[in-house]
Amino acid sequence: MKTTAQSSGALQAQNGESILIIESSAKDAKALKVTLESAGYNSEVVNNLEQALETLAQQDFETVIYTLSDSPDTGEHPAKLIREHTQRVNLIQVSCASEPEEAIQAIKSGADEFLEKPIAEIDLLLSVQKAKERNRLRNDNELLRSQVAKRYSFSRIIAKSPQMLEIFETIKKVSEYRTTVMLYGDSGTGKELIAKAIHHNSNRKNKRFVAINCGAIPENLLESELFGHKRGAFTDATRDKKGLFEEAEGGTILLDEIGELPVHLQVKLLRVLQEQEIRPVGEAKSTPIDVRVIAATLRDLEADVLEGRFRDDLYYRLNVISLRIPPLRERKEDIPLLVNFFIKRNQEKLGLPVYGINKDATAALIDHEWPGNIRELENCIERAMILTESDEITLESLPKTVHLADAQKNEARQMLLDDELSIKQHTRAIEEVLIKKALGKTKGNRTHAAKLLEISHRTLLYKLKQYKLTEEGAAK
Ligand SMILES: Nc1ncnc2c1ncn2[C@@H]1O[C@H](COP(=O)(O)OP(=O)(O)O)[C@@H](O)[C@H]1O
Ligand SMILES: [Mg+2]
């Protein structure tokens, strides 16, 4: 073994941790043992994997270092076999040549670190430290994931807040019946996910779940999209077309953005709900259908009814059961849970070696208001996992909107902790934060910002000058 550096204090073992070395070359095994013991580790050497598994069955080790044999192996990957015996162990792979494919295989099979022969002393000790840290993160994550899986998930919806747990209960109760369900909630709160959960928990689950965004389809096409048409019903109708209601026969249809449904279709939908039959455009007779309807909206439908934009009879027909999905900022306890869930999912989906998130970053995520709700959080985590230069998500890898807002808040908070007692100074700091926030929200529109701040346009201009703020500066 090359001795390139003295083992430093930081790399010493903590209270005699023990390491199992699996190495067929007696010379290499000895070199490893000497280095590890000089750093305070206890170590034991075995020749092959079989002996190692036997030893592991009888004795606990913090770390296992195994050498990948040159001979092609047809069996299971050694890392996998070792992990099956002892899940919590730190695993280091040693190989003779570093092929990228080999490293990927190792990580996938559960190794934490790998080393290439000849091994420098410092690299060995660093790897032992890094394997410990990586394994700790992995275990934390796995523990969390299994807790999530058991306690805090329902049909792929992750949540632990009391509001959401209550929604889970309601879903369980209403799924079985054909009752119409109305979902209220801002964009990205999980309305579609909930609609799917209702479908998958019902006896309709083997039939189709169909979703349509009523606001995204031109008015003249919407009726045929929903109910289908006969050939020749209009110029472009060159053949019969099935509508989505028919596609969803026996299953569930989600009418998203129901508030955007034009009034003449509101009348038709009401008839469909009451008679349980549809009539395609250009067709003389109706056909019976069996479809469960779930509707969703981010609008205040009651206000639409009062203002005559939405028919009250349809409103009452839809609102047999209504659920309000709270925005993420009203259930911040769900944030860490969702973050870990998304990290794990992206690890699998994108193969990114990011195992967790550090404290500062978590705090910033909890502090953020999430106007785009869970969809925004989901995107934010994916982006951070790509950008982070560590194996955790760090503050720097989060979008500026998330952590700058946090820094601004910290400024105000810091002043409260300091000895600063001047009300004037505090007011100034708070005013600055609020003005920046308002301008950020209105994308620099001063008139709207002034309204949000409940001050006159003139006062805002004055304060901008006083604090040397420009809307460009604030929006950054
Ligand atoms: N509680 C949750 N747990 C896990 N993923 C969620 C949750 N809520 C929303 N999502 C995810 O966030 C995104 C937006 O959800 P979606 O149901 O489309 O929201 P909406 O229909 O209200 O706009 C989707 O990718 C969805 O899977
Ligand atoms: Mg949606």
Side-chain angles (χ1 to χ4, degrees):
M1 177 166 310
K2 292 183 287 179
T3 20
T4 53
Q6 288 300 308
S7 47
S8 75
L11 297 176
Q12 294 283 313
Q14 291 156 3
N15 46 45
E17 294 162 79
S18 50
I19 298 185
L20 180 65
I21 301 166
I22 314 171
E23 172 61 76
S24 55
S25 144
K27 186 168 148 266
D28 289 352
K30 177 124 191 268
L32 289 170
K33 197 171 164 69
V34 168
T35 308
L36 291 170
E37 294 192 343
S38 72
Y41 291 99
N42 298 318
S43 68
E44 198 157 314
V45 176
V46 293
N47 284 323
N48 56 44
L49 193 58
E50 226 162 72
Q51 279 180 24
L53 297 180
E54 253 168 53
T55 312
L56 284 168
Q58 289 156 14
Q59 209 180 322
D60 285 338
F61 291 88
E62 272 79 30
T63 302
V64 173
I65 301 176
Y66 66 91
T67 306
L68 214 57
S69 69
D70 299 329
S71 56
D73 198 356
T74 44
E76 288 275 25
H77 195 280
K80 201 162 176 205
L81 291 172
I82 297 168
R83 280 240 175 271
E84 275 169 13
H85 274 69
T86 50
Q87 274 155 26
R88 304 232 158 252
V89 80
N90 319 313
L91 261 188
I92 300 172
Q93 169 170 310
V94 175
S95 60
C96 296
S98 73
E99 301 287 338
E101 192 47 43
E102 210 173 85
I104 294 170
Q105 217 38 53
I107 291 287
K108 274 194 180 157
S109 308
D112 297 302
E113 281 292 312
F114 29 79
L115 283 166
E116 197 186 330
K117 283 186 182 179
I119 304 163
E121 186 173 309
I122 185 80
D123 289 340
L124 173 63
L125 297 177
L126 272 172
S127 275
V128 172
Q129 285 293 337
K130 280 194 340 215
K132 277 196 246 180
E133 181 55 18
R134 211 184 270 265
N135 189 35
R136 182 187 64 75
L137 282 169
R138 193 208 345 256
N139 284 336
D140 284 358
N141 204 264
E142 240 148 54
L143 188 69
L144 220 137
R145 191 163 52 112
S146 63
Q147 286 172 349
V148 167
K150 283 200 200 83
R151 281 195 287 160
Y152 301 131
S153 100
F154 174 73
S155 281
R156 308 205 340 254
I157 311 171
I158 308 296
K160 68 185 279 200
S161 56
Q163 304 99 300
M164 288 302 291
L165 295 184
E166 206 181 311
I167 289 175
F168 289 177
E169 289 310 310
T170 314
I171 296 175
K172 285 181 207 159
K173 276 187 219 144
V174 303
S175 291
E176 287 176 51
Y177 307 102
R178 223 185 92 163
T179 335
T180 324
V181 179
M182 188 68 217
L183 303 173
Y184 292 95
D186 290 346
S187 181
T189 48
K191 297 186 295 296
E192 183 156 348
L193 203 58
I194 288 172
K196 283 183 183 153
I198 295 174
H199 174 73
H200 287 295
N201 282 281
S202 73
N203 49 18
R204 303 176 163 261
K205 62 170 175 277
N206 296 322
K207 295 289 171 59
R208 286 191 62 188
F209 172 88
V210 174
I212 178 174
N213 182 339
C214 303
I217 294 180
E219 208 178 311
N220 57 338
L221 296 182
L222 193 53
E223 180 173 1
S224 126
E225 198 64 29
L226 286 171
F227 308 123
H229 64 242
K230 279 273 312 161
R231 178 173 168 213
F234 44 87
T235 330
D236 292 337
T238 50
R239 56 180 133 167
D240 288 2
K241 178 186 152 47
K242 258 193 188 179
L244 291 177
F245 267 88
E246 244 178 300
E247 302 265 359
E249 173 62 29
T252 308
I253 191 168
L254 168 64
L255 305 175
D256 207 350
E257 311 277 349
I258 187 90
E260 305 298 325
L261 200 67
V263 174
H264 75 279
L265 287 181
Q266 291 175 20
V267 182
K268 292 198 168 153
L269 177 61
L270 180 64
R271 203 172 308 133
V272 170
L273 293 174
Q274 277 168 346
E275 317 290 332
Q276 294 175 27
E277 48 183 39
I278 51 153
R279 197 166 56 80
V281 182
E283 170 67 84
K285 55 182 198 310
S286 305
T287 352
I289 45 145
D290 168 25
V291 173
R292 188 213 199 123
V293 175
I294 301 177
T297 184
L298 42 77
R299 301 173 61 106
D300 179 0
L301 263 198
E302 205 174 340
D304 286 347
V305 169
L306 289 176
E307 286 159 33
R309 275 191 301 270
F310 203 83
R311 290 184 60 110
D312 59 351
D313 43 9
L314 178 60
Y315 174 80
Y316 292 118
R317 189 67 189 73
L318 288 171
N319 276 272
V320 180
I321 304 279
S322 70
L323 284 177
R324 183 184 165 272
I325 326 299
L328 191 52
R329 64 178 170 279
E330 285 177 19
R331 43 174 164 126
K332 295 208 161 188
E333 60 267 58
D334 288 345
I335 293 175
L337 209 62
L338 284 162
V339 168
N340 278 290
F341 171 76
F342 292 138
I343 291 177
K344 188 66 215 169
R345 213 179 58 185
N346 291 340
Q347 258 171 37
E348 281 158 15
K349 196 176 78 179
L350 308 172
L352 293 166
V354 177
Y355 299 95
I357 175 164
N358 71 20
K359 277 211 182 92
D360 291 349
T362 307
L365 293 180
I366 293 175
D367 249 20
H368 189 56
E369 294 292 291
W370 301 109
N373 294 294
I374 297 143
R375 184 175 292 113
E376 183 188 357
L377 178 64
E378 198 175 15
N379 294 337
C380 168
I381 297 297
E382 180 170 326
R383 178 181 177 278
M385 284 176 75
I386 292 167
L387 292 183
T388 185
E389 284 168 8
S390 136
D391 52 14
E392 293 181 308
I393 292 177
T394 56
L395 202 53
E396 295 72 38
S397 57
L398 298 177
K400 281 213 172 75
T401 45
V402 174
H403 73 90
L404 265 196
D406 189 53
Q408 283 169 6
K409 280 177 226 151
N410 278 343
E411 208 173 287
R413 219 175 271 154
Q414 193 52 45
M415 277 181 69
L416 284 175
L417 296 175
D418 289 349
D419 288 336
E420 180 61 68
L421 288 176
S422 153
I423 289 183
K424 218 176 182 172
Q425 288 302 326
H426 278 291
T427 312
R428 192 195 142 103
I430 291 170
E431 275 188 355
E432 253 194 75
V433 171
L434 293 176
I435 291 172
K436 282 182 191 167
K437 233 178 143 170
L439 285 170
K441 233 182 188 157
T442 61
K443 301 202 170 60
N445 184 317
R446 294 173 182 182
T447 315
H448 289 166
K451 276 206 182 108
L452 290 178
L453 292 162
E454 295 188 9
I455 56 177
S456 72
H457 190 237
R458 254 182 60 162
T459 312
L460 177 60
L461 293 187
Y462 170 77
K463 285 186 190 294
L464 284 173
K465 211 161 148 198
Q466 184 191 10
Y467 299 148
K468 299 196 178 59
L469 288 173
T470 58
E471 61 275 54
E472 293 83 28
K476 253 185 230 147

